[in-house]
Amino acid sequence: MKPYIIPIFIPFQGCPFHCVYCQQEDITATPAQLPSVDQISEKIQTYLATRHPGKYSHVEVAFYGGTFTGLPSQDIENMLSAVHPYIERGQVNRIRASTKPDYISPEVLDFISPYGLNTIELGVQSFDDGVLKQVGRGYTAAQVTTAVQILRNRGFKIGLQLMPGLPGADADEALLSVEKAIQLQPDFVRIYPTLVLKNTALARLYQKGLYQPWSLEQAIQTCRKIQTKFAAANIPIIKMGLEFSSNEREGILAGPYHPNFRQWIMENKLLTQGPF
């Protein structure tokens, strides 16, 4: 049974800069600002009211879209404090957050642990230092390994996010990054083939002919190999490919998007229709 996730989006918040591919406002359909305590509480209550008992293993509040541990400590405390009453009442069981590997330290984990935050998703994207530098991630593969070790020593559940098809990367890089991710034995992974979104630095590179995204067929073929490798290692892929509403798809300039992308991978189907 899967957890019931209550997503709280914090687009770009805590991020020291915008990576070349990132346009979180389009991906999350959320303004680039922190939600208030009242907004967080209201969303939790709304989601709890529509939850189907017995269908999910437990309830988690998840802070997505920014670098959670890069936020000022007061903002972190305010948001976690908004969730904590639901933890105390047993209505929410856990909290998770996404962040960058270079924003993990024993000190920050000491700060967030008492609030019930026990799952961290690291936006790794690649284990190739050249690719990481080219897209402006600001850390190295060695720092990813260090972050995972710190999290594991503190008993956190760990998720890793990978982005096949970044600038400077190819299928070989994607599969090598998968192998390195498997060596770290995360609890789960997410796979997001790189898309070119409007109003990003990557869009400008694409428009100048300096970046060519993967075709849908190339992404499907490579992600099938990725899925096979993680399955053999008993590491679940909890998401593969970004999801957009019909209106949000207007923000996709180029790249291997398909609304049924994960289905094509998991069911090993042939591609028989276009991306939109």
Side-chain angles (χ1 to χ4, degrees):
M1 296 174 65
K2 296 181 179 181
Y4 184 67
I5 300 294
I6 303 175
I8 309 294
F9 292 109
I10 56 169
F12 296 130
Q13 302 303 300
C15 298
F17 43 75
H18 289 185
C19 298
V20 297
Y21 52 79
C22 196
Q23 181 48 282
Q24 282 291 333
E25 289 176 283
D26 288 345
I27 294 172
T28 63
T30 305
Q33 61 188 33
L34 286 176
S36 67
V37 170
D38 288 342
Q39 287 172 326
I40 292 172
S41 183
E42 181 180 352
K43 189 163 192 177
I44 292 173
Q45 292 178 38
T46 299
Y47 268 72
L48 289 176
T50 58
R51 180 173 66 95
H52 298 285
K55 186 177 179 180
Y56 301 94
S57 58
H58 61 278
V59 179
E60 291 189 30
V61 169
F63 291 98
Y64 290 143
T67 303
F68 188 79
T69 56
L71 291 166
S73 58
Q74 188 60 59
D75 289 334
I76 294 176
E77 185 173 17
N78 288 343
M79 289 191 290
L80 293 179
S81 295
V83 182
H84 198 60
Y86 298 93
I87 295 279
E88 291 183 318
R89 292 195 292 267
Q91 295 173 289
V92 172
N93 307 104
R94 301 175 188 171
I95 305 174
R96 70 170 65 190
S98 60
T99 192
K100 291 172 77 254
D102 49 330
Y103 280 73
I104 292 294
S105 67
E107 293 75 21
V108 75
L109 298 186
D110 286 341
F111 182 69
I112 64 179
S113 294
Y115 292 93
L117 200 164
N118 73 337
T119 301
I120 292 288
E121 298 192 30
L122 297 176
V124 175
Q125 322 313 13
S126 172
F127 281 86
D128 184 294
D129 286 345
V131 172
L132 292 172
K133 183 177 182 179
Q134 191 165 336
V135 300
R137 289 297 288 171
Y139 54 82
T140 65
Q143 288 176 282
V144 175
T145 299
T146 298
V148 170
Q149 291 171 341
I150 293 172
L151 289 166
R152 181 159 288 118
N153 290 340
R154 297 302 180 97
F156 277 73
K157 290 187 66 177
I158 303 165
L160 302 181
Q161 302 171 7
L162 297 176
M163 288 187 65
L166 287 167
D170 56 17
D172 289 339
E173 176 280 326
L175 297 176
L176 183 59
S177 286
V178 167
E179 295 289 350
K180 292 183 177 180
I182 289 172
Q183 291 173 11
L184 296 179
Q185 287 295 292
D187 295 284
F188 60 90
V189 294
R190 296 176 188 261
I191 308 298
Y192 295 131
T194 304
L195 301 178
V196 181
L197 302 180
K198 294 179 180 178
N199 303 318
T200 62
L202 191 60
R204 293 188 287 274
L205 291 175
Y206 170 71
Q207 290 165 336
K208 293 177 181 178
L210 300 176
Y211 170 71
Q212 181 60 46
W214 284 5
S215 68
L216 183 57
E217 185 61 38
Q218 181 182 7
I220 288 174
Q221 290 178 359
T222 302
C223 286
R224 281 178 178 155
K225 295 176 183 178
I226 289 172
Q227 190 275 332
T228 298
K229 287 180 177 293
F230 279 122
N234 294 313
I235 297 172
I237 300 175
I238 64 170
K239 194 168 185 180
M240 185 175 286
L242 290 168
E243 298 176 2
F244 294 87
S245 69
S246 55
N247 290 333
E248 291 164 356
R249 291 173 198 168
E250 296 179 2
I252 304 172
L253 190 62
Y257 172 76
H258 196 290
N260 298 322
F261 187 85
R262 182 183 177 93
Q263 181 182 359
W264 293 118
I265 305 302
M266 305 306 290
E267 298 182 8
N268 199 31
K269 291 185 175 182
L270 296 175
L271 179 62
T272 58
Q273 62 187 78
F276 301 102

